Amino acid sequence: MIVKVSPAHLSGAVAAPPSKSLGHRALLCAGLAHGSSRLTGISDSQDMLATLDGLAALGAQAERAADGALLVRGAAFPQALGPRRVCCRESGSTLRFLIPLFALSPEETVFTGSARLLARPQSVYADLFAAQGLPFLQAADCLRVRGPLRGGEWTLRGDVSSQFLTGLLFALPLLDADSTLRILPPFSSKGYVDLTLQMLARFGVHAGFAGEDQLEIPGRQRYAAQDVAVEGDYSQAAFFAAAGAVQGGLRIANLAPDSLQGDRAILEILRACGAGVEWGADGAHISSAPLSAQEIDVDPIPDLAPVLSVLALFCAGETRLVNAARLRDKESDRIAAMEQELRRLGARVSSTRDSLTVSGFPAGRAPWAQTEVDCHNDHRVVMSLAIAATLGRAPLILRGAEAVRKSYPNFFADLKSLGGKVEVLEE
C-alpha cells in the first residue's frame, strides 16, 4: 500500500488502542483456562490473529460476540496433542510465547511464518532445549520443536528478549514439578515480565521474583477463566504523544496512569525534552514547548525507539538512543531503517551497532520537499514516518504502509480523526 501523508496540525482527542502486549497475554491465559473467558479490547491486528491461530492449534475456541468482545473457551491445557503446524505470521511474541507450550507435548510442532520472523534469534530456547536433550531445529522456512519440556532449575540469558521468559512463564506452571529460572544480567525489558506475572495472577496462576534475577514458578497449577478488559497501549499512544509534544493540544484517552507497561516511559521522556504532560479525568494532555535533545536508554523500551528518532528531529541538539542493539532484530533492522529514512529527509544521523544519534533541525524546521520513503515492512517505521510527515513542511509518500496492519489497523483512521491528511495512492 502506498500512502501520502501531508503536513497538518493535529488537535483534539484520540483513544489509545488496546495494548498489544497485554492482548497477547490475555488471549493465551484465556486459551489455557478451564472454562470460558470474555475479553474486551482484542483487536483484529495481524499479531492478534496469529495468537488466535496458535490457540486454535492448542484446542481453544474463540468467537466474536455482537458487542465486539472475544469469547474464548479454554483448552484446559495441557492435553494430548498430535503433531501440529502453527503459522505465526510476523509475530515474534506469538512464536516465542507458544514454543514452550507446544513443547509440553512429546509430539513434534512445526512453526512457520515470515522469513524475517524465522530468522530472529531463538538462542535462549535453543540452549534450554539442548540442555534438556530435546530437539530444536531452526531453519530458513520453519522451526521444529518436540518435548516434553521438564521443570527444574534453569539459567537463561537476560539480554536477548524478555519474550523467552514470558513463554516459559505460561508453560512451566502446568508441569508437575516446580521450576526456577535464573536470569543472567543484564536483564532487558523486565517490565514486560511484570506484565506477564500480572496477567497470570489475574487467571489464578502464581509465579514471582525471588530477588532481582530469579523467578520461582510453582508447578501443578491451572488457569481459571476470567473476564478481562485490555487497557490502552502506551507504545501506540506514543506516536500521537510525540506529535503533541511538537504541536501541542492533543489528548490521549484510554490510558491507565498506573499501568505496568514499560512504554509508559514515553510521558516522562516527553517531560524531560520539555513538553507538558498532565493527567485529567479524560486522559493525558500533551502540550508543546521548545524541546531539547536527550540521551535515552531504549533497552527497556525498544518499541519507542523509532518514534523517538522522529521526535529527535524537533529537539534542539543531538539525541542519542543507546543500548539499542536489540532493534536490529525486530521486524526490520530498526536502527538501519530509521537511519536510512531520516537521511532521506535531510537529517544528520549516525549509528553504531547499538546506538542511533539524530541531530535536530535548526529551530525545529523540517526542510524536506515531497519525498518517498520506504517503510521496511515494519509497522512502527510506518507510524513513525507518518508522524514525521504530519510535522514537516512537505508530504511524504510511504511505500509499504500496509505493514501497519500488524499491530494498529486503525492508525491512519485515527490520524485523520485528529486532522491528519492521509491519501491512499495505491492499495
Side-chain angles (χ1 to χ4, degrees), residues 24 35 39 41 52 66 71 73 84 87 104 114 146 168 192 209 227 235 248 279 297 334 336 348 353 379 398 406:
H24 281 301
L39 308 180
L52 281 167
L71 308 179
R73 190 188 331 179
R84 291 288 190 271
C87 179
L104 297 179
S114 72
R146 189 170 70 244
L168 290 167
Y192 286 98
F209 281 98
D227 294 347
S235 62
W279 282 100
D297 182 354
R334 287 180 177 162
R348 289 194 294 122
R353 183 188 66 81
H379 55 132
L398 281 60
K406 182 177 191 296

Side-chain angles (χ1 to χ4, degrees), residues 122-207:
Q122 307 295 343
S123 57
V124 172
Y125 284 154
D127 293 345
L128 185 146
F129 276 62
Q132 295 205 5
L134 299 173
F136 187 98
L137 175 62
Q138 186 172 1
D141 61 344
C142 67
L143 191 154
R144 298 174 180 271
V145 303
R146 189 170 70 244
L149 197 66
R150 302 184 303 277
E153 297 188 4
W154 306 100
T155 299
L156 294 84
R157 289 173 56 189
D159 63 342
V160 182
S161 172
S162 64
Q163 292 172 349
F164 297 106
L165 293 168
T166 287
L168 290 167
L169 283 168
F170 284 128
L172 294 179
L174 298 171
L175 297 176
D176 289 335
D178 298 342
S179 298
T180 298
L181 300 179
R182 294 190 173 89
I183 304 152
L184 296 175
F187 187 176
S188 298
S189 300
K190 177 178 178 292
Y192 286 98
V193 176
D194 292 333
L195 289 179
T196 304
L197 294 173
Q198 180 188 54
M199 190 63 71
L200 289 173
R202 182 76 182 268
F203 283 81
V205 172
H206 299 283

Side-chain angles (χ1 to χ4, degrees), residues 42-337:
I42 302 295
S43 76
D44 286 325
S45 69
Q46 292 295 309
D47 278 9
M48 292 296 102
L49 295 176
T51 294
L52 281 167
D53 289 345
L55 291 183
L58 283 172
Q61 298 177 3
E63 63 177 354
R64 287 282 180 188
D67 63 357
L70 198 65
L71 308 179
V72 181
R73 190 188 331 179
F77 200 72
Q79 57 178 305
L81 291 176
R84 291 288 190 271
R85 191 174 186 91
V86 183
C87 179
C88 297
R89 306 189 190 206
E90 293 184 89
S91 177
S93 296
T94 301
L95 176 62
R96 289 171 175 166
F97 293 172
L98 289 178
I99 285 172
L101 286 168
F102 282 92
L104 297 179
S105 168
E107 301 286 350
E108 182 180 74
T109 301
V110 178
F111 293 98
T112 62
S114 72
R116 179 80 186 180
L117 173 66
L118 295 170
R120 291 173 70 172
Q122 307 295 343
S123 57
V124 172
Y125 284 154
D127 293 345
L128 185 146
F129 276 62
Q132 295 205 5
L134 299 173
F136 187 98
L137 175 62
Q138 186 172 1
D141 61 344
C142 67
L143 191 154
R144 298 174 180 271
V145 303
R146 189 170 70 244
L149 197 66
R150 302 184 303 277
E153 297 188 4
W154 306 100
T155 299
L156 294 84
R157 289 173 56 189
D159 63 342
V160 182
S161 172
S162 64
Q163 292 172 349
F164 297 106
L165 293 168
T166 287
L168 290 167
L169 283 168
F170 284 128
L172 294 179
L174 298 171
L175 297 176
D176 289 335
D178 298 342
S179 298
T180 298
L181 300 179
R182 294 190 173 89
I183 304 152
L184 296 175
F187 187 176
S188 298
S189 300
K190 177 178 178 292
Y192 286 98
V193 176
D194 292 333
L195 289 179
T196 304
L197 294 173
Q198 180 188 54
M199 190 63 71
L200 289 173
R202 182 76 182 268
F203 283 81
V205 172
H206 299 283
F209 281 98
E212 286 294 314
D213 300 316
Q214 182 169 309
L215 282 161
E216 298 290 344
I217 305 110
R220 300 167 298 280
Q221 299 191 65
R222 56 187 283 172
Y223 290 78
Q226 296 291 320
D227 294 347
V228 174
V230 177
E231 67 183 56
D233 195 331
Y234 274 89
S235 62
Q236 310 291 40
F239 299 99
F240 298 116
V246 176
Q247 294 183 330
L250 277 185
R251 175 171 60 85
I252 306 174
N254 196 36
L255 292 175
D258 58 350
S259 174
L260 293 181
Q261 294 178 57
D263 288 341
R264 186 180 63 172
I266 184 62
L267 300 183
E268 289 307 315
I269 291 169
L270 295 181
R271 285 193 181 104
C273 291
V277 178
E278 295 184 359
W279 282 100
D282 53 357
H285 295 250
I286 315 296
S287 57
S288 62
L291 303 176
S292 58
Q294 305 291 317
E295 179 170 294
I296 304 169
D297 182 354
V298 296
D299 180 66
I301 49 170
D303 287 344
L304 295 183
V307 73
L308 290 176
S309 70
V310 167
L311 178 70
L313 299 176
F314 303 92
C315 294
E318 190 176 82
T319 296
R320 295 187 68 238
L321 307 182
V322 300
N323 295 324
R326 289 190 298 131
L327 295 175
R328 295 196 180 274
D329 295 316
K330 297 292 186 178
E331 286 82 346
S332 68
D333 177 339
R334 287 180 177 162
I335 292 177

Side-chain angles (χ1 to χ4, degrees), residues 321-362:
L321 307 182
V322 300
N323 295 324
R326 289 190 298 131
L327 295 175
R328 295 196 180 274
D329 295 316
K330 297 292 186 178
E331 286 82 346
S332 68
D333 177 339
R334 287 180 177 162
I335 292 177
M338 294 309 299
E339 181 175 17
Q340 175 180 316
E341 302 314 319
L342 295 184
R343 281 182 175 168
R344 286 182 176 172
L345 306 187
R348 289 194 294 122
V349 189
S350 62
S351 67
T352 67
R353 183 188 66 81
D354 66 349
S355 70
L356 184 67
T357 301
V358 181
S359 295
F361 290 126

Side-chain angles (χ1 to χ4, degrees), residues 1-6 8 386 390 411-417 419-425:
M1 183 168 70
I2 302 174
V3 173
K4 179 180 178 180
V5 182
S6 299
T390 296
F411 171 76
F412 286 115
D414 285 350
L415 183 61
K416 290 172 71 174
S417 76
K421 298 177 180 179
V422 179
E423 180 183 357
V424 177
L425 303 181

